[in-house]
Every structure is written in C-alpha cells, then in structure tokens.
Amino acid sequence: MSSIINDLEQTALVTDEQELLSLESKYCSWGDTVHYLDPPKIFERAEGNYLYDREGIPYLDLQMWYSAASFGYGNQRLNNALKNQIDKLPQLACQYLHPEKVELAATIARLNESKFGLEGRVHFNVGGAQAIEDSLKIVRNATGKNLVFAFMGGYHGRTLGASAITSSYRYRRRYGHFSDRAHFVPFPYCFRCPYGKKREDCGLYCVDQFAKNFETEYNSFWDAKAGESEFSAFYVEPIQATGGYVIPPPEYFPALKKILDERNILLVDDEIQMGFYRAGKFWAIENFGVEPDIIVFGKALTNGLNPLSGLWAREDLISPEVFPPGSTHSTFSANPLGTAVGLEAVRMMEDKDYETITARKGAYFLAQIRDLQRRYPKVIGDTDGLGMALRIEICQEDGYEPDRELTDLIFTQGIRGDLDACGRRMGLVLDIGGYYKNVFTLAPCFDMTEEEIDISVELLEQLIRRCAPERI
Ligand SMILES: Cc1ncc(COP(=O)(O)O)c(C=O)c1O
C-alpha cells in the first residue's frame, strides 16, 4: 500500500513533459477527443484571449473552448461569482432549492417571454448532450412519438440519444442499432448546395423538397386522414457549429417553420454552441425571426467554469401537470456553483451591450478574413460570419475542392508556438470543423481588441505562407 502511495506522490510531482505524455498515453482513455494531435499539446495557464504552454509561450486562441469560454479566460466578474459561491453554498442536493437556480431560471424564462411572447420554464442539467437527452424526453412525453428530423451536418452531442440525432455515422458505427436515428435533412449549405443549386436563383429549392415529403401519405411522413406526421420535432442548430459554422440564408428558417407549423411538428433549437451572443444575438435563432418550442443551451452560460446546461420549453410542454417531478434526474443538475456563475453571466449580458460588441468586432474580423481570401484564392474557398461566429473554408487551388490535408497542416503548425507576432514568439489555437474537416471555425473571445484581431489575421497569413508556399 505504502509503495502505491509513494508512486502516486511521485506522479503528482511529475513536471517533465515527456513523462506526462507517457503517463497520459498509458493511463488516460483515448476514447475522448484528445488524440487528434500527436503528441497532444499541454497547456498550463490561460488569461483573456490566450493560452500559455509550459514554457510560457502565449497562444492566441480563436476557438475559446469551442465557444464555451466566450467571455474570456479568467473573466474576473464570473470568477468572483464562482469564488463567492464556494464560500457561501458550494454544494446542495438538487431536491432542495437555492436562490441562484430560481433567479437564473426566471431570468431566462422572462427573457424568452419578452423575445417570443411565449411562457415557459427552464430545466437544468450539466452537459450539453444531457440537456439534449432531457429535451428528447420532453418531446416524447408531449407527443408520444420518438421520430425526429435533424440536419445533415448537425451535431448534438455524444450520449446515445444525442448521437442518434447527430448526422455523423462515425459516432454511431460501433454502438449497435439506433432504432430512433433521426431522419436527416440537407442543411442549406449554399457554398456546397446539396442540390447543386445557386442561391441567387434556387428559390429555396431545399425547403420545397422538404415540403414535398408531406404531399401524400405515400411519401411516408404524413397521414392525411389523421392529419398527423410520424415525426414529432425538428432538431436544428440555427448556425451549424461542428458542421463548419454554416450560416443559412435569412429566408430559410421562416420557410421551414411554416411547414413545421402546418404539420404540427415542434422546433427544437440547439443553442449549445451558438447561444449567448456567439452569433450576435442572445439566441442565434433570433437572427431568423422564428419562435422555437424548445431551446437547449450549455457551454458559455458559465464561461466554461462549473458546467451547467439546460433547456427552456413552452409551458404546455413542460408544466408540472405534463412533466412532473422526477421526469429526469442528475445529481449535479442545477448545481449551486454553475447556477451562481450562470446567473452572473446572464446579468453581465444584460449590463453589457454584447449585441453591438459582437456585431462590430465580428464585422471587422470578417472583413479581414475576406481580404485574406481575396489575397489567397488558391487556399481559401469561402469565408462567412455572423456576430463572432466566423468560418474560413480551406480548399484546393480551384477554390472549391476541400483541402483537409492543408487544413490539418495549418492547425498543427499553429499549435507549435513558433510564429512571430511583432517580434514576439506566439502560437495560434484553431479548431477544425466542417463536413469535409476543412473549415476553421473561429469563435474568438468577445473581449478581443481590433489589434488582437489584426494579430490573428497576421498569424493566419504566416501559417498560409508557411504551409502552402506554392499557392501564394
Ligand atoms: C450544437 C451542439 N450541441 C450539443 C453539443 C454537446 O454538448 P456537450 O459537449 O456539452 O455535451 C455541442 C458540443 O459541441 C454542440 O456544439
């Protein structure tokens, strides 16, 4: 026994990077997403827009923990909320109440009432996928049906239920039969239109195709005699996140919602990555003027501090009469640390005009990457952005065929930490998404200055010149 303790003490003291990596490779599961980089990168400290490695080299972060830390690493106001709660009421079994939970739920519910004119309630959990699971229960409970629509290119998490409505077969392949697998519908990814159309004259062909499914019972979705669809809900990301920050045309969601309303199908809005101003509005769906029936959220609500996720649902779907106590349970749901930070974060969003901030900085950033695209047309095929959700699609010389290899190379070179920013050694942290894994999905910190946006673009240019010298 004492030798095990000695070993553990030694493990705690390990500082050598090689030793850490070899311990990790032996004792940590590889089943999560760490081993996408070989060897995995170790960071030691974070502040504002930057991550710091063990040598103290700063890495400008353009992904902010997949948009979970949108308000900046070490945000003092949110850190203080966490510290205060640790000293006040750090733990509480979720069958009891604490004020922060109630106030946070009320704030979000009132906000939605003012935005959508709908009464509703908020239900908490811990991770995004778990909140998706809860939403699936609400949908099934309210409709008695388990079939849903979701988008090709959509991502809703990796629990079994969330995997069933996430398009990628890779996430399901090794886990048996998914009888409740969603029916996947093409997303309006206009740069690569699934129907080969051009946005200028397509007349929203994709919406017409979706509508056609309900035209006759033989198209398999609709029983005209009963006036009922076999499908209960459509799960959407207003802007596809993992799918590559794909922004639909403004007319798309209103046209889709019209069909859903006609067929009595619920709209479930997954705001886990795009919510809380990432796409320039509190909820990304507000950019499109439609009212969701359920909203699922997570990530940035606590700025990546103590995890908290949840959902808001219309009163008739979630009232205690239809969704009574014990309908779901998780020990850590509505945990006091998470709800305290979440409440402070929502108050901060009320105090600070993030709509203007994200619109201004996002537009500045987008203009810069559009300029980069103009100067490197043999590397960048498409750029787009809404609020501070931006995309850079890396393509072959023709500006269209996806170039996954070059995307990987740029990503791995950025993480080497040997770029030059005004005479200072620096790295660049990027995230890759997209149907072909060739899109840099940029989710910069909302506090980023214009000067730091300039540095980001300068670093991106250095990486392009280093990784594709023959194409510049
Ligand atoms: C849109 C969306 N939904 C769901 C999830 C799953 O959230 P979590 O990773 O917290 O389970 C994610 C995570 O990236 C996401 O982006």
Side-chain angles (χ1 to χ4, degrees):
M1 182 67 186
S2 72
S3 92
I4 294 176
I5 290 172
N6 281 345
D7 283 354
L8 286 176
E9 277 173 357
Q10 274 188 356
T11 306
L13 290 175
V14 165
T15 52
D16 176 70
E17 186 142 337
Q18 278 316 313
E19 207 171 340
L20 267 181
L21 288 173
S22 78
L23 284 172
E24 191 274 345
S25 114
K26 183 162 164 53
Y27 293 113
C28 293
S29 159
W30 288 30
D32 55 21
T33 53
V34 170
H35 282 260
Y36 283 8
L37 197 64
D38 184 24
K41 179 80 188 169
I42 302 175
F43 285 108
E44 201 154 71
R45 201 166 69 77
E47 196 182 329
N49 295 299
Y50 293 95
L51 291 170
Y52 294 84
D53 69 11
R54 289 162 64 88
E55 290 173 50
I57 296 171
Y59 292 69
L60 190 52
D61 192 340
L62 293 184
Q63 55 86 49
M64 298 307 287
W65 202 352
Y66 323 129
S67 191
S70 299
F71 303 101
Y73 298 125
N75 181 301
Q76 269 314 307
R77 181 166 171 177
L78 301 180
N79 281 10
N80 286 341
L82 183 69
K83 289 176 192 166
N84 291 341
Q85 192 68 24
I86 284 182
D87 289 333
K88 196 171 71 172
L89 180 73
Q91 297 110 326
L92 183 69
C94 59
Q95 81 189 89
Y96 305 108
L97 280 180
H98 60 286
E100 290 77 10
K101 169 192 168 164
V102 180
E103 286 179 46
L104 179 56
T107 308
I108 293 174
R110 284 182 182 148
L111 207 84
N112 282 359
E113 212 170 311
S114 72
K115 288 180 187 303
F116 306 120
L118 295 169
E119 288 193 0
R121 290 169 191 264
V122 171
H123 183 101
F124 292 110
N125 210 317
V126 190
Q130 283 165 289
I132 290 284
E133 297 281 338
D134 291 347
S135 74
L136 285 165
K137 275 192 168 177
I138 288 180
V139 167
R140 287 183 181 211
N141 181 59
T143 64
K145 295 174 187 171
N146 52 355
L147 292 188
V148 303
F149 295 110
F151 280 121
M152 293 179 187
Y155 181 86
H156 300 286
R158 307 261 182 122
T159 55
L160 286 173
S163 298
I165 61 166
T166 290
S167 57
S168 177
Y169 172 48
R170 183 166 62 89
Y171 301 148
R172 290 188 299 274
R173 188 177 59 81
R174 290 174 292 122
Y175 307 107
H177 181 61
F178 284 72
S179 57
D180 299 322
R181 177 186 178 283
H183 179 88
F184 295 106
V185 174
F187 189 77
Y189 180 5
C190 300
F191 180 63
R192 300 185 186 282
C193 175
Y195 295 105
K197 303 276 181 194
K198 290 273 167 265
R199 178 66 200 108
E200 302 80 74
D201 57 6
C202 73
L204 287 181
Y205 182 82
C206 51
V207 179
D208 289 346
Q209 290 307 297
F210 182 66
K212 275 201 164 53
N213 290 313
F214 300 91
E215 251 174 35
T216 125
E217 69 184 74
Y218 299 103
N219 291 358
S220 86
F221 288 8
W222 182 249
D223 178 344
K225 277 196 179 154
E228 258 197 51
S229 169
E230 198 173 7
F231 290 81
S232 53
F234 200 141
Y235 273 73
V236 310
E237 293 166 86
I239 293 171
Q240 288 200 322
T242 307
Y245 283 21
V246 187
I247 303 166
E251 310 82 11
Y252 180 81
F253 276 113
L256 181 75
K257 179 72 162 86
K258 189 163 168 287
I259 300 169
L260 300 182
D261 286 346
E262 283 164 9
R263 307 297 170 181
N264 209 13
I265 295 168
L266 299 170
L267 179 67
V268 185
D269 172 22
D270 180 343
E271 295 272 352
I272 291 168
Q273 188 155 163
M274 288 296 153
F276 308 116
Y277 290 102
R278 172 53 59 200
K281 307 266 186 202
F282 190 92
W283 305 122
I285 197 82
E286 291 178 71
N287 287 294
F288 304 109
V290 297
E291 286 140 27
D293 300 293
I294 297 174
I295 296 176
V296 191
F297 53 82
K299 290 196 196 268
L301 176 58
T302 60
N303 201 33
L305 295 175
N306 220 65
L308 188 76
S309 65
L311 61 85
W312 167 91
R314 256 177 29 202
E315 178 67 8
D316 58 312
L317 301 173
I318 200 176
S319 74
E321 291 75 45
V322 295
F323 205 63
S327 296
T328 79
H329 171 74
S330 174
T331 299
F332 297 131
S333 63
N335 63 84
L337 297 179
T339 46
V341 181
L343 180 59
E344 195 61 27
V346 174
R347 285 182 177 153
M348 189 175 79
M349 288 180 239
E350 283 172 343
D351 293 347
K352 230 171 149 174
D353 185 2
Y354 281 106
E355 190 162 328
T356 304
I357 293 170
T358 52
R360 181 168 44 78
K361 293 184 184 180
Y364 183 76
F365 210 143
L366 182 59
Q368 301 263 36
I369 56 174
R370 289 229 153 112
D371 184 52
L372 207 58
Q373 179 186 4
R374 195 182 45 73
R375 289 188 287 121
Y376 298 98
K378 294 181 180 173
V379 173
I380 301 176
D382 187 50
T383 48
D384 205 355
L386 191 57
M388 287 180 86
L390 302 126
R391 74 191 312 267
I392 300 177
E393 182 146 355
I394 303 295
C395 296
Q396 312 268 357
E397 289 204 21
D398 66 357
Y400 187 72
E401 283 306 310
D403 195 338
R404 180 177 184 166
E405 218 174 286
L406 178 57
T407 315
D408 278 340
L409 186 62
I410 292 173
F411 166 70
T412 47
Q413 289 290 318
I415 217 80
R416 278 171 54 141
D418 61 355
L419 300 168
D420 173 44
C422 316
R424 190 171 177 207
R425 201 172 150 189
M426 206 181 266
L428 189 67
V429 184
L430 294 163
D431 193 36
I432 299 175
Y435 295 36
Y436 302 92
K437 294 287 164 253
N438 70 319
V439 181
F440 290 122
T441 49
L442 309 185
C445 169
F446 297 162
D447 287 337
M448 186 171 250
T449 62
E450 287 192 356
E451 196 190 348
E452 284 165 329
I453 294 174
D454 293 344
I455 296 174
S456 311
V457 177
E458 160 68 27
L459 296 178
L460 279 166
E461 182 165 6
Q462 278 176 34
L463 285 167
I464 290 171
R465 297 181 79 84
R466 179 192 289 186
C467 300
E470 71 292 351
R471 291 203 227 160
I472 58 180

